[in-house]
Amino acid sequence: TEVNNRQEAQPREADFRQRIESRFQLTFVEAYRKISQEADGPHVNVDIFFSPHGTLADLEGLERRFKEYDPDIYIPEGIGWSQKDLDQLRQSASGKKDGTQLRLGDRSVVFKRIAEIARGSKKAITFIDVPHGHIGKKFNEVWNFNLPLKGNFSEALGYTRSLLSNLALHINNREEYMLDQINSEKVKELFEVYPSLRNVETIRILLSLGRAHAPMPSDYSSHSFTNEGIIRNKFGKPVNDELAAKIFLEYFIDKYLSRPYSSFPSYWLTNDSKKLDRFKRRFVGQMNMQDAERIFNYIKSDVEKNGVPLLPVNELESLFRDKNLQIPEPKNLDEYLNKSILPQLKSA
């Protein structure tokens, strides 16, 4: 079954962690009663480690949370996971196989680190994310920024807002899919693979998920403008022209930062996604609508001349000089981030 496609992103009325906890509580109690014929079932506590998950640096806090929370069940984020992935992670947690022996394709570096964190822990491992083969055909398309260059700048901002809405829709649909996977079959399978869970009075479950699944923040200073736009859409909040323009600029500056690498997040500035988001927030925050329109007009003119939209490196660097902006050396990034705090956009 493919992830459902909805007409628009719906605002989230309840905290995702609370919804998952409630669903697990009900499901475990129902399963326990069927097995034990008793009225009482286990109490369930759920903790979620919200963090970016593109690089090894993003997982640094996970190991600490894993040890402190000491879960009975660990559920990693893993869109597109396969049964082989699950089997290998379970083998690592059982102590039969360590992280260096795993082979998990393009995500192997991050998944190996997860396997190392869980290695020998004897914890139950499962997935509730969308598995391989169940992702809608338009999954990859929703992440593509195919800017229309035949219209005007206002239309480009409208396209940016539409993209954000689609991304939020995708995240909301994934969350609903995850909730649907917390069912009697899932708990039955856990009891069969890990029979000791039947004797646990309070079952602690730890999930690791991207920050887009977190509750709506009151402060976006640690988020990129793009993250803010997605989160605001996810919770039914508007994205005004000013924010859309900064997201437009951030897209091209993100590309600028990642060259000459591929689009996979292996930036030369830092491999810490949280620091990178803070940098983009501060750097792009010093630009405005006119700067975004300048880049749009330059790209549009370039397409009219060459027929192919290219990364506007020269124009971006010219804009940086005009704004007296300088990207710091990697060794000076912390100093740059701690210098001063720029005012944020007001949230409607």
Side-chain angles (χ1 to χ4, degrees):
T1 304
E2 293 184 350
V3 179
N4 293 331
N5 292 317
R6 299 180 181 179
Q7 293 300 314
E8 58 183 16
Q10 299 295 319
R12 317 311 285 163
E13 297 177 356
D15 180 279
F16 187 47
R17 187 202 64 79
Q18 293 176 340
R19 297 175 73 199
I20 283 183
E21 187 172 80
S22 296
R23 185 68 63 88
F24 265 121
Q25 179 70 64
L26 290 172
T27 307
F28 265 103
V29 168
E30 289 175 358
Y32 187 87
R33 288 173 178 173
K34 290 180 181 179
I35 293 172
S36 67
Q37 302 299 317
E38 296 181 11
D40 295 331
H43 182 69
V44 176
N45 288 333
V46 173
D47 186 29
I48 302 182
F49 177 74
F50 294 111
S51 173
H53 43 72
T55 69
L56 291 180
D58 297 335
L59 299 179
E60 289 179 358
L62 177 59
E63 182 173 13
R64 183 171 61 254
R65 182 73 66 85
F66 195 92
K67 290 179 179 178
E68 292 174 352
Y69 189 64
D70 190 25
D72 300 291
I73 302 172
Y74 173 55
I75 306 175
E77 183 169 24
I79 190 166
W81 66 274
S82 68
Q83 185 61 45
K84 180 180 178 182
D85 298 339
L86 179 58
D87 291 343
Q88 289 180 314
L89 289 177
R90 284 179 169 176
Q91 288 171 358
S92 182
S94 70
K96 295 179 181 178
K97 183 175 288 191
D98 64 36
T100 60
Q101 295 174 289
L102 299 182
R103 294 293 181 270
L104 298 170
D106 292 340
R107 299 176 300 158
S108 63
V109 174
V110 172
F111 262 60
K112 281 180 182 178
R113 180 62 186 137
I114 290 174
E116 289 168 4
I117 291 171
R119 182 174 58 178
S121 65
K122 309 299 182 182
K123 306 302 183 185
I125 307 289
T126 193
F127 285 108
I128 59 174
D129 211 335
V130 184
H132 179 73
H134 288 243
I135 301 172
K137 295 178 181 179
K138 295 184 178 180
F139 168 69
N140 291 323
E141 296 177 9
V142 80
W143 296 93
N144 291 338
F145 191 88
N146 296 317
L147 182 67
L149 294 168
K150 294 183 179 180
N152 55 36
F153 179 59
S154 178
E155 290 172 315
L157 294 183
Y159 170 81
T160 302
R161 276 191 288 266
S162 177
L163 177 68
L164 295 169
S165 178
N166 288 336
L167 289 169
L169 171 63
H170 164 73
I171 292 168
N172 286 348
N173 285 340
R174 273 184 67 198
E175 290 183 357
E176 293 303 319
Y177 184 93
M178 291 180 194
L179 287 166
D180 287 343
Q181 301 315 296
I182 305 172
N183 52 42
S184 58
E185 289 301 313
K186 175 67 67 177
V187 173
K188 179 182 178 183
E189 193 262 351
L190 283 169
F191 279 162
E192 289 175 351
V193 178
Y194 304 101
S196 61
L197 285 175
R198 303 180 186 186
N199 303 318
V200 179
E201 293 184 1
T202 299
I203 295 178
R204 294 184 301 277
I205 301 174
L206 175 64
L207 285 81
S208 51
L209 292 173
R211 287 200 294 174
H213 301 281
M216 188 172 182
S218 57
D219 179 5
Y220 286 102
S221 60
S222 65
H223 291 263
S224 68
F225 287 104
T226 303
N227 287 345
E228 178 182 353
I230 294 172
I231 292 169
R232 290 178 67 81
N233 268 276
K234 185 170 178 279
F235 287 92
K237 301 296 182 181
V239 172
N240 60 26
D241 282 350
E242 183 183 359
L243 176 55
K246 290 185 185 299
I247 293 168
F248 173 88
L249 280 167
E250 190 172 75
Y251 170 80
F252 290 102
I253 290 172
D254 206 34
K255 287 288 189 181
Y256 177 87
L257 287 173
S258 64
R259 63 188 184 95
Y261 305 105
S262 68
S263 58
F264 186 80
S266 55
Y267 301 105
W268 58 266
L269 186 59
T270 176
N271 64 351
D272 186 324
S273 296
K274 291 181 180 178
K275 284 187 179 181
L276 188 64
D277 280 352
R278 289 174 58 203
F279 165 77
K280 288 187 287 188
R281 184 86 191 185
R282 184 158 302 189
F283 194 80
V284 178
Q286 298 176 77
M287 302 179 190
N288 55 37
M289 288 268 291
Q290 290 71 33
D291 300 325
E293 187 167 10
R294 169 179 169 177
I295 296 300
F296 171 80
N297 289 332
Y298 180 89
I299 296 172
K300 184 176 180 180
S301 175
D302 194 44
V303 169
E304 291 173 352
K305 294 177 182 177
N306 304 313
V308 179
L310 301 175
L311 181 65
V313 173
N314 293 336
E315 189 65 12
L316 283 171
E317 292 178 345
S318 175
L319 175 61
F320 299 163
R321 288 191 296 270
D322 293 344
K323 305 286 291 188
N324 196 27
L325 297 174
Q326 186 172 3
I327 298 173
E329 293 292 326
K331 63 181 181 181
N332 298 325
L333 179 60
D334 287 343
E335 180 184 355
Y336 173 88
L337 294 175
N338 293 326
K339 270 187 176 180
S340 62
I341 298 177
L342 295 174
Q344 292 181 232
L345 292 176
K346 293 181 180 179
S347 297

